[in-house]
Amino acid sequence: MEPAVSLAVCALLFLLWIRVKGLEFVLIHQRWVFVCLFLLPLSLIFDIYYYVRAWVVFKLSSAPRLHEQRVRDIQKQVREWKEQGSKTFMCTGRPGWLTVSLRVGKYKKTHKNIMINLMDILEVDTKKQIVRVEPLVTMGQVTALLTSIGWTLPVLPELDDLTVGGLIMGTGIESSSHKYGLFQHICTAYELVLADGSFVRCTPSENSDLFYAVPWSCGTLGFLVAAEIRIVPAKKYVKLRFEPVQGLEAICEKFKHESQQQENHFVEGLLYSLDEAVIMTGVMTDQVEPSKLNSIGNYYKPWFFKHVENYLKTNREGLEYIPLRHYYHRHTRSIFWELQDIIPFGNNPIFRYLFGWMVPPKISLLKLTQGETLRKLYEQHHVVQDMLVPMKCLERALHTFHNDIHVYPIWLCPFILPSQPGLVHPKGDETELYVDIGAYGEPRVKHFEARSCMRQLEKFVRSVHGFQMLYADCYMDREEFWEMFDGSLYHKLREQLGCQDAFPEVYDKICKAARH
């Protein structure tokens, strides 16, 4: 009887605690219990399964043989949808909770789900310097394979679970983007199944309109079934320099200067307040000074953004050699700095040594288990946004971010934006240097109200001919959205390819004002 009595007492105390603190407080501030006990072990199992599966499939070369069959199956599903009267829009059958985006896609429940089981690396051609992959291949899979054979992607976005399809149909960026542009700019070919069930391959010289319209279209022009992406030779390490900078004007000048230096393979900034930042520049190398080697990706190491902050606190410059794959996924273990809000003690040395090997929890599992109440609370009290603005507007933009949402740290990542057709391009006819301003965390501005504050920020971004990444919550109305993005080529192809009855318009798929 004693264990039962003790359990009952604990349950009563727990309920009393909820009554005193409030359910919302417990859901937000004590979620670490559920995450540590259940989501971390489950995430580890997921990772092991997908890693082993990808390795076996590639070694046995079964993926290329099965790929053609799987594409024909997708075509068959689309043609059956047409034969049944095309009554609803189509979308991929992948559950919404599996995506890295925090947005919950309710359209999955009402649209025709086309099952797309394409998650394999099909071919690595080192002579042509191309890797051909299916859309559900993740960045974790890509780095594990390519770095093991001495190659890498010119632009390899940070988080392990980001997929090639998401990075093409949405967008992707990394600290090498000041040299190579966004993820779409290292792609050389897309293969799609269109609204009528036909198969098409597009490149800059073949079906070029479709090639340039696909990026940022969020799956509203067709189903991506494969992509060809450039690869470049890799080296073993990144020689990374850390430089703390004080004063906003000095920060912007230093960041712009380093972003224009082509000898820098990587450029990144972490802004810890409006006038304090650390600017990092890196080059790939095979040489290393053993005393300066830092395997930052090891599970027991401090979270990267905390490690970087030490250079700011001690006001000293630094030089480290980081293994290439560790560098690529330097923010993965802490999900940039989002994990500190979920597991507040996650960077504690004791936790890192005992449980760090299970970190991070899968973003998809966090979404699946958050519940409607917590989702709404996060929506109102949490910001996850990436805004892309011209480099010349960086200082104004940082003042706007500070005044409208006041979230720190802020991620700064430069990228070159070529003048090409499509939804996103510079205002003029020339290539222009832009910067991604990433804000992730709890706003500290007084009386923060998500809709009004974000609409104010979106208005500023439109005014400087900037762009909002479409994985995040978007509050613009339709007119404002098409003021930000150039829809001329997109709408022309929607009509030519018969997409209007097959797929929702991109605005209706992602904007809060249109979603129900």
Side-chain angles (χ1 to χ4, degrees):
M1 284 293 291
E2 286 186 7
V5 172
S6 299
L7 189 61
V9 170
C10 288
L12 287 172
L13 289 173
F14 183 69
L15 291 172
L16 181 62
W17 182 50
I18 291 178
R19 179 65 182 271
V20 172
K21 290 288 189 179
L23 180 60
E24 293 183 0
F25 178 90
V26 174
L27 284 173
I28 292 177
H29 297 285
Q30 308 302 328
R31 198 179 180 205
W32 62 268
V33 177
F34 180 73
V35 170
C36 291
L37 292 179
F38 298 101
L39 294 194
L40 287 182
L42 195 56
S43 297
L44 183 66
I45 293 169
F46 265 56
D47 283 336
I48 293 172
Y49 166 75
Y50 280 111
Y51 178 82
V52 171
R53 180 192 178 280
W55 184 86
V56 169
V57 164
F58 192 79
K59 289 297 182 183
L60 296 179
S61 298
S62 62
R65 294 198 307 272
L66 293 175
H67 176 75
E68 305 301 328
Q69 177 185 329
R70 290 170 178 165
V71 171
R72 287 193 294 270
D73 180 62
I74 293 167
Q75 292 178 283
K76 180 183 177 183
Q77 292 179 68
V78 173
R79 287 167 181 151
E80 286 176 351
W81 165 82
K82 282 186 69 69
E83 291 168 3
Q84 292 167 4
S86 311
K87 295 176 182 177
T88 62
F89 289 137
M90 291 183 290
C91 66
T92 65
R94 191 184 187 210
W97 61 269
L98 275 175
T99 63
V100 173
S101 167
L102 296 180
R103 184 172 56 247
V104 178
K106 295 182 179 179
Y107 60 87
K108 297 276 186 181
K109 298 177 181 178
T110 57
H111 293 183
K112 169 66 176 177
N113 282 214
I114 303 298
M115 302 310 298
I116 298 179
N117 184 30
L118 301 171
M119 56 181 69
D120 297 317
I121 298 174
L122 300 174
E123 179 186 7
V124 179
D125 188 331
T126 55
K127 290 184 179 179
K128 294 182 179 179
Q129 297 195 359
I130 291 292
V131 59
R132 183 167 174 253
V133 298
E134 293 179 329
L136 295 181
V137 166
T138 67
M139 291 301 99
Q141 284 176 260
V142 170
T143 50
L145 177 66
L146 289 183
T147 55
S148 71
I149 58 175
W151 292 84
T152 187
L153 299 183
V155 177
L156 206 152
E158 170 66 37
L159 300 178
D160 279 8
D161 291 341
L162 292 171
T163 64
V164 167
L167 295 168
I168 291 170
M169 291 297 185
T171 193
I173 192 170
E174 206 7 282
S175 54
S176 57
S177 288
H178 68 294
K179 289 172 65 74
Y180 298 104
L182 299 171
F183 190 83
Q184 69 205 56
H185 299 127
I186 64 167
C187 296
T188 60
Y190 306 128
E191 298 172 20
L192 299 102
V193 171
L194 301 180
D196 61 356
S198 63
F199 172 86
V200 66
R201 184 175 186 270
C202 55
T203 71
S205 58
E206 177 188 6
N207 299 310
S208 59
D209 278 357
L210 183 58
F211 178 81
Y212 289 115
V214 162
W216 296 73
S217 66
C218 298
T220 59
L221 292 173
F223 294 110
L224 184 70
V225 293
E228 293 177 12
I229 310 169
R230 289 167 52 201
I231 57 175
V232 294
K235 296 186 177 180
K236 294 179 181 179
Y237 304 98
V238 173
K239 183 180 179 180
L240 192 64
R241 296 186 180 276
F242 302 81
E243 184 173 345
V245 186
Q246 309 285 339
L248 182 58
E249 185 177 346
I251 290 169
C252 294
E253 284 298 320
K254 176 67 175 175
F255 187 70
K256 180 180 179 181
H257 172 76
E258 296 295 351
S259 301
Q260 294 171 329
Q261 307 308 305
Q262 291 301 296
E263 61 267 25
N264 288 330
H265 295 164
F266 306 101
V267 179
E268 174 184 27
L270 292 185
L271 194 72
Y272 290 90
S273 72
L274 189 59
D275 57 2
E276 293 180 311
V278 177
I279 308 300
M280 289 159 280
T281 56
V283 294
M284 281 195 285
T285 179
D286 285 324
Q287 309 302 318
V288 63
E289 299 176 50
S291 62
K292 296 180 179 178
L293 177 62
N294 184 4
S295 300
I296 194 69
N298 288 343
Y299 69 87
Y300 52 83
K301 287 284 189 173
W303 289 346
F304 185 71
F305 79 97
K306 287 294 187 182
H307 173 66
V308 173
E309 191 176 16
N310 285 332
Y311 285 103
L312 185 64
K313 289 180 176 179
T314 55
N315 194 29
R316 61 184 176 91
E317 297 182 9
L319 174 65
E320 297 177 358
Y321 293 82
I322 300 176
L324 180 62
R325 189 157 188 251
H326 289 216
Y327 176 79
Y328 279 141
H329 300 291
R330 63 201 178 280
H331 293 297
T332 293
R333 287 189 300 125
S334 56
I335 318 179
F336 281 83
W337 31 92
E338 289 280 65
L339 197 56
Q340 67 181 350
D341 292 333
I342 300 170
I343 307 176
F345 47 81
N347 195 47
N348 183 285
I350 297 174
F351 180 86
R352 292 201 311 265
Y353 275 90
L354 293 178
F355 305 107
W357 51 278
M358 291 192 290
V359 167
K362 306 289 274 188
I363 294 175
S364 54
L365 294 179
L366 289 171
K367 282 175 61 178
L368 180 65
T369 58
Q370 71 179 174
E372 188 66 17
T373 301
L374 187 57
R375 187 190 67 77
K376 288 181 178 178
L377 288 169
Y378 262 74
E379 186 178 294
Q380 287 300 319
H381 304 289
H382 201 83
V383 166
V384 180
Q385 290 284 347
D386 281 88
M387 298 293 189
L388 316 180
V389 301
M391 182 67 79
K392 62 189 177 187
C393 303
L394 177 58
E395 188 170 345
R396 286 172 55 200
L398 291 176
H399 272 295
T400 302
F401 269 73
H402 180 82
N403 294 331
D404 288 353
I405 57 176
H406 199 100
V407 169
Y408 291 100
I410 280 178
W411 189 54
L412 300 177
C413 185
F415 70 98
I416 203 76
L417 186 61
S419 180
Q420 295 176 346
L423 286 160
V424 172
H425 56 75
K427 189 173 184 180
D429 296 328
E430 296 181 357
T431 295
E432 187 171 352
L433 186 62
Y434 270 63
V435 56
D436 175 8
I437 303 176
Y440 326 116
E442 187 175 344
R444 299 190 189 96
V445 67
K446 289 184 178 179
H447 311 300
F448 174 79
E449 199 280 317
R451 186 178 185 278
S452 61
C453 290
M454 290 315 306
R455 279 188 56 77
Q456 198 166 317
L457 194 58
E458 290 167 347
K459 181 179 179 181
F460 168 79
V461 173
R462 289 197 307 275
S463 74
V464 297
H465 197 73
F467 308 94
Q468 180 179 25
M469 283 198 185
L470 300 183
Y471 76 87
D473 284 332
C474 175
Y475 293 84
M476 292 180 283
D477 62 31
R478 195 178 303 272
E479 183 179 349
E480 292 166 340
F481 181 85
W482 291 118
E483 179 188 339
M484 178 178 285
F485 297 96
D486 181 358
S488 53
L489 180 61
Y490 172 78
H491 290 303
K492 170 187 164 186
L493 282 170
R494 290 259 304 166
E495 185 174 352
Q496 285 182 0
L497 300 175
C499 297
Q500 285 129 328
D501 296 325
F503 307 105
E505 186 182 292
V506 61
Y507 174 81
D508 295 312
K509 193 170 183 179
I510 63 99
C511 284
K512 293 186 75 65
R515 284 184 282 129
H516 301 287

